[in-house]
Amino acid sequence: MHEIIPKQLKNLANVCPKPLYAVGGSVRDFLCKKHAAHFDWDICAPISAQDFAEIATKHGFKIQAVYKNTGTVKLADCNGVDYEYTCFRSDKYVRGTHVPVEIHFTDDITLDARRRDFTANAIYYDIQAENYVDPLGGIADAKESRLRTVTDAKKVFGEDGLRLMRLARQAAQLHFYPDEECLQGAKANAALIKDISPERIFTELLAILHADEKYGHADGPYLGLTLLQKTGVLHHVLPELALGENMAQRADFHKYDVLEHSLRAARYADKRIRLAALLHDVGKPFCKLRDGNSYAHAEEGARIVSEILTRLKAPKKTIEQVHELTLWHMYDFDCKTKEPKLRRFFIEHYESLEELLLIKQADYSACADDFEIAPTCRKWRTILDAMRKEHAPFTLKDLAINGNDLKALGIPAPKLAHVLHELLLHTAVNPKDNEKVRLLRLAGSLNI
């Protein structure tokens, strides 16, 4: 561990009046041989925030913020490495408050360990002495890929509902599994997730969906999502999606119920569209309960995902993308759409076309764990390849004429965009017509 400690941090530890420890993810990851892009450096000691900040400043650290009430200091070294320091402390919570109502500073490392969430995150490394301090047996849990709470699990999750999402996220990223007490404690407190801000929930959900990017565990997102399901948290965070649990689908197409299909779609999806893959069939439970079938699930699903993501305070661009992919994920599912119509569709949806192909593939693979190229994707890519070979224009920039050419033809300015778009759709089907003379003739004949 000493080898990876930044030199300036070692120097700081040598001048501190009391032992300075690395704690949390950096220690856990080193012991488990997890290699992230960078370590998150959490450090601690029984030294007040103000005193620590003064010491750190004298030895070349830049202090970014000092929070005396929580004993926290945010700082950076001369190489731009960030650290978060906290004074040893013991916290008291009121059920569901998320933030401690009382903080007591202490010299007792065990009390500091018991304010944390999981034992694997409560392993300390004495930087100067070069040895581990493990007050709660976290080293064994870390090496055995186990998530165990630092004290009674019902108490730990009852103190802070965000820990319910952290459980799923850390399990997903680390490929750790909660012990039975941890799992039951989360289940008992699942409703407390409703006390957490939508923004925090959405951030944790995205981290779960991209958990494989942290340490390279390919099945991490699926592990995290299934843990949200097992603990009951999913039913509070995404109730519209959770309605699909045990909702059967046509056996000739689907191996799994609606919810499991959705979880597997996210499991098999490209990272660019995982959120959309998770939510693409969210309209099915609604339609089945309303209509007895799922015929309108794409349209209703598009409406529902917009409601969900607005509720979770997702960025507008994300809402628009997921809405678009949900709305069109069933288009040409039976491969019966004629090529000219498809060519025009490709133009109309060119900006999201690659993502739409990805969502179709994830949807297909999740039906029965089939990783062959989806028939629709094969058909679409064949047509797209043909269009490229024919030099078909996909955007207005690819057209052989522009707005100035149309103005010279006498077409009024308010009509220019419409005429150009119509010409683009025409040349998608008839690429040979993408010549200036032909396009001007066509433009003149359009009924505008």
Side-chain angles (χ1 to χ4, degrees), residues 32-333:
C32 298
K33 297 180 173 57
K34 304 283 185 185
H35 301 291
H38 65 274
F39 284 108
D40 295 321
W41 289 107
D42 292 316
I43 53 179
C44 59
I47 305 171
S48 73
Q50 188 171 357
D51 289 347
F52 178 80
E54 290 176 2
I55 297 167
T57 300
K58 289 178 182 178
H59 290 83
F61 285 82
K62 181 180 180 181
I63 305 303
Q64 298 164 333
V66 177
Y67 305 97
K68 294 180 182 178
N69 291 342
T70 60
T72 303
V73 181
K74 292 184 182 292
L75 64 161
D77 65 19
C78 62
N79 295 314
V81 178
D82 293 321
Y83 305 85
E84 182 168 302
Y85 169 85
T86 51
C87 178
F88 282 5
R89 72 183 201 225
S90 177
D91 299 336
K92 182 179 179 180
Y93 289 81
V94 172
R95 178 176 168 80
T97 56
H98 176 51
V99 293
V101 293
E102 291 182 22
I103 293 173
H104 299 284
F105 298 112
T106 179
D107 290 337
D108 189 334
I109 198 170
T110 301
L111 284 178
D112 187 73
R114 290 199 181 280
R115 76 173 177 84
R116 300 177 185 274
D117 48 12
F118 308 112
T119 56
N121 298 328
I123 307 165
Y124 298 73
Y125 181 77
D126 186 327
I127 299 170
Q128 184 182 41
E130 300 184 34
N131 65 270
Y132 295 98
V133 180
D134 185 17
L136 303 178
I139 290 177
D141 290 327
K143 290 186 174 180
E144 292 173 21
S145 302
R146 180 170 53 239
L147 287 171
R148 181 169 61 90
T149 53
V150 294
T151 186
D152 177 73
K154 289 183 180 178
K155 177 179 181 295
V156 169
F157 291 111
E159 289 175 342
D160 183 358
L162 188 60
R163 288 171 174 167
L164 296 160
M165 296 295 291
R166 281 172 54 83
L167 170 66
R169 191 244 302 162
Q170 292 198 27
Q173 291 175 338
L174 295 162
H175 236 248
F176 280 20
Y177 293 85
D179 67 3
E180 188 60 26
E181 182 189 350
C182 181
L183 190 61
Q184 294 305 320
K187 285 182 178 180
N189 290 283
L192 290 184
I193 195 63
K194 292 186 288 187
D195 296 328
I196 304 304
S197 71
E199 295 92 338
R200 296 295 296 275
I201 292 172
F202 184 66
T203 296
E204 291 288 340
L205 179 62
L206 287 186
I208 291 167
L209 287 169
H210 294 271
D212 56 321
E213 297 173 34
K214 182 79 172 178
Y215 303 106
H217 295 294
D219 224 19
Y222 179 73
L223 172 59
L225 292 170
T226 55
L227 193 50
L228 289 179
Q229 179 190 6
K230 287 178 183 177
T231 58
V233 174
L234 190 69
H235 292 72
H236 295 288
V237 174
L238 296 171
E240 302 91 340
L241 180 68
L243 273 176
E245 188 170 15
N246 299 320
M247 185 174 280
Q249 305 196 81
R250 283 182 54 176
D252 53 339
F253 284 112
H254 290 277
K255 186 177 178 181
Y256 304 104
D257 66 30
V258 175
L259 177 57
E260 181 62 20
H261 169 76
S262 299
L263 301 184
R264 286 176 181 265
R267 182 185 197 179
Y268 302 140
D270 182 278
K271 65 182 181 181
R272 287 170 283 177
I273 50 96
R274 282 192 190 141
L275 180 60
L278 177 66
L279 298 175
H280 78 284
D281 269 351
V282 76
K284 276 188 178 178
F286 175 84
C287 289
K288 286 201 171 190
L289 292 171
R290 183 190 67 180
D291 307 328
N293 60 61
S294 60
Y295 297 152
H297 80 273
E299 294 79 8
E300 292 293 353
R303 173 184 61 79
I304 293 169
V305 296
S306 293
E307 292 174 358
I308 290 171
L309 295 177
T310 299
R311 181 177 76 227
L312 291 177
K313 307 293 180 65
K316 183 180 178 181
K317 187 175 180 180
T318 299
I319 298 173
E320 290 172 351
Q321 183 203 42
V322 178
H323 177 278
E324 172 89 354
L325 296 181
T326 303
L327 180 62
W328 295 106
H329 80 274
M330 289 293 290
Y331 189 75
D332 195 33
F333 78 97

Side-chain angles (χ1 to χ4, degrees), residues 272 349-359 381:
R272 287 170 283 177
H349 300 273
Y350 186 68
E351 287 188 4
S352 59
L353 191 55
E354 184 60 31
E355 287 77 13
L356 191 52
L357 283 159
L358 292 173
I359 199 82
R381 290 199 183 279

